[in-house]
Amino acid sequence: MGNSLHYVSEHISYIATESTWIESKAIQQLQTTANLPDMVSVVGMPDLHPGRGYPIGAAFFSSSRFYPALVGNDIGCGMSLFQTDIKKSKLNLDKLEKQLTEMADHAPLSWLNEYVPEHMKSHDFMASLSSIGGGNHFAEFQVIDEIVDSELFAQSGLNKQQLLLLVHSGSRGLGQSILRQHVEQHNHSGLDDQSNEAKHYLQAHQDALYFAELNRQLIGLRMLQQVKATGELSLDINHNSVESCCINGINGWLHRKGATPSDRGFVIIPGSRGDYSYLVSPKTSEVSLNSLAHGAGRKWMRTECKSRLSHRYTPLQLSRTTLGSRVICANKQLIYEEAPQSYKSIETVIDSMIDIGIIQVIARLKPIVTYKTSGDC
């Protein structure tokens, strides 16, 4: 075990190298969460940063009681990776960018009626399916930039000669409605896991997980159709959820808020829109509550990004990155909020997890075109 595991107390820890940006407010929020009734252990990932009351980029383990507020309002948010048939050698970046710029945020009803499964067509949030949403959600075409472990890469089934498509999105308004209903009835006090209210929430939670997974599949389909390509889903994993599990011999509930499961096979950990992503092989460890970082993690609050950057960069300049990739985001506020400068270095996040032995890097992926939103979120 390396030097990147730090204990705040017996039940509170976080993972970070000396160069990993960790705000003191995020540590305070870990402590606040650890003090909740029946909370056993909390672990901050190297992408840890402050949230609205509770930290993001963390895993929380409780017994007898679980906390929907720790999962948050985007139940099932996660990452899907698609292997496309777009050959890297035939890539026309100008054409790809133009095609994606012409795509609307929301699919027309006719498209939804054709591709949404029959049993979902009467869903209250059906119109949101195949939409990415705002915030840090995105869809990004990538190329394999470097293969670190050729044997593990061969097991992934990915083709280094063809583009990949990474989709980051969740349950859209559905997760928000589930959390709002819960908080209106129970505030932030959590639920006894034997109660009828707990069973009701877990059913709604399961529905939101399915919705989020379907949403990412439909985003991938619509993106690929937009650029006249095809692809297959290679990986899909959620990083906002709660599930029953056993940790250190204790039966309880594992909450993940911006934390990727380490017990579901290979995963993608993305950087900012101007940084690399990494394909990794996780190593399950109760020290990290069987969890990993889900990305680079914010360094600046959203509210301060525009004031920090607008005198240095125009939105047009932020649509081009130092890696040569392009960002499609017509929402002027969002392009500042999601600028690469507002995120931590993905390398420090990856190094932190390598240091404590919970991941093995398989390959590095480079962004080509990132689609954020064509207009208002």
Side-chain angles (χ1 to χ4, degrees):
M1 191 71 68
N3 297 321
S4 295
L5 183 63
H6 307 273
Y7 282 93
V8 179
S9 71
E10 182 182 357
H11 304 292
I12 306 169
S13 60
Y14 66 94
I15 302 162
T17 64
E18 289 184 0
S19 59
T20 306
W21 181 286
I22 300 289
E23 282 190 58
S24 59
K25 184 177 179 181
I27 303 297
Q28 291 169 6
Q29 289 185 344
L30 280 182
Q31 294 171 313
T32 298
T33 308
N35 289 330
L36 292 171
D38 300 312
M39 191 60 65
V40 177
S41 177
V42 302
V43 180
M45 303 301 138
D47 57 336
L48 180 72
H49 58 282
R52 296 177 180 176
Y54 305 112
I56 301 167
F60 321 96
F61 181 65
S62 62
S63 64
S64 305
R65 175 176 295 273
F66 64 83
Y67 293 86
L70 294 182
V71 179
N73 64 0
D74 198 6
I75 303 163
C77 186
M79 305 280 177
S80 293
L81 185 70
F82 299 83
Q83 173 70 71
T84 84
D85 65 348
I86 304 171
K87 292 183 178 179
K88 186 164 57 172
S89 61
K90 300 287 183 68
L91 175 64
N92 183 326
L93 187 52
D94 290 333
K95 181 181 179 181
L96 186 65
E97 182 183 26
K98 184 177 186 296
Q99 288 172 317
L100 293 173
T101 302
E102 294 170 350
M103 190 178 87
D105 293 337
H106 291 265
L109 184 59
S110 58
W111 190 94
L112 293 169
N113 282 329
E114 182 174 356
Y115 294 104
V116 170
E118 197 64 37
H119 70 281
M120 293 295 286
K121 289 181 179 177
S122 60
H123 196 285
D124 289 346
F125 291 89
M126 193 270 273
S128 294
L129 284 169
S130 82
S131 66
I132 295 169
N136 64 348
H137 295 154
F138 64 87
E140 183 172 275
F141 283 98
Q142 305 176 329
V143 293
I144 306 288
D145 180 68
E146 179 185 357
I147 296 173
V148 178
D149 190 309
S150 55
E151 185 176 330
L152 286 175
F153 183 80
Q155 294 177 27
S156 74
L158 299 175
N159 188 330
K160 66 180 181 180
Q161 304 301 334
Q162 296 170 333
L163 267 62
L164 300 171
L165 173 61
L166 180 63
V167 174
H168 174 206
S169 191
S171 54
R172 306 294 279 111
L174 174 59
Q176 174 70 51
S177 70
I178 293 169
L179 180 64
R180 186 187 306 115
Q181 183 180 27
H182 167 77
V183 171
E184 285 174 355
Q185 295 177 0
H186 305 283
N187 203 345
H188 289 242
S189 56
L191 297 170
D192 182 324
D193 62 10
Q194 299 301 308
S195 66
N196 287 331
E197 291 83 0
K199 293 175 184 175
H200 176 77
Y201 173 81
L202 290 173
Q203 181 58 59
H205 171 277
Q206 194 61 38
D207 292 344
L209 291 184
Y210 173 78
F211 188 99
E213 291 162 3
L214 176 62
N215 188 43
R216 290 191 291 273
Q217 291 177 34
L218 292 172
I219 290 168
L221 176 61
R222 197 155 71 93
M223 293 282 289
L224 289 167
Q225 287 181 349
Q226 183 69 20
V227 300
K228 298 178 172 54
T230 61
E232 293 184 358
L233 181 66
S234 296
L235 303 172
D236 183 81
I237 200 155
N238 303 306
H239 52 236
N240 286 359
S241 65
V242 61
E243 62 186 22
S244 61
C245 69
C246 181
I247 300 286
N248 292 320
I250 301 171
N251 291 318
W253 297 91
L254 180 55
H255 313 68
R256 293 185 175 101
K257 175 62 172 175
T260 298
S262 64
D263 53 1
R264 315 273 157 88
F266 296 167
V267 300
I268 288 283
I269 301 176
S272 69
R273 306 295 60 79
D275 210 341
Y276 296 99
S277 297
Y278 286 83
L279 175 67
V280 306
S281 175
K283 297 180 181 178
T284 305
S285 171
E286 293 184 340
V287 167
S288 65
L289 294 179
N290 300 335
S291 301
L292 309 172
H294 78 310
R298 295 198 68 86
K299 187 168 64 174
W300 300 342
M301 293 177 60
R302 290 185 178 279
T303 52
E304 61 185 87
C305 293
K306 191 170 184 180
S307 62
R308 281 175 174 262
L309 296 171
S310 59
H311 65 288
R312 296 168 56 195
Y313 305 100
T314 66
L316 180 61
Q317 289 173 320
L318 290 176
S319 71
R320 301 292 186 265
T321 77
T322 56
L323 293 180
S325 64
R326 303 182 183 184
V327 179
I328 298 169
C329 181
N331 184 309
K332 300 301 190 291
Q333 181 68 29
L334 186 63
I335 201 167
Y336 282 108
E337 291 177 359
E338 290 295 305
Q341 294 88 339
S342 66
Y343 280 83
K344 304 180 189 187
S345 161
I346 188 63
E347 281 75 21
T348 67
V349 171
I350 295 296
D351 288 346
S352 299
M353 293 185 288
I354 292 173
D355 186 56
I356 70 164
I358 59 174
I359 64 166
Q360 185 170 350
V361 173
I362 301 171
R364 188 173 75 174
L365 285 59
K366 181 181 175 182
I368 297 297
V369 175
T370 308
Y371 181 95
K372 292 292 296 180
T373 174
S374 63
D376 292 335
C377 303

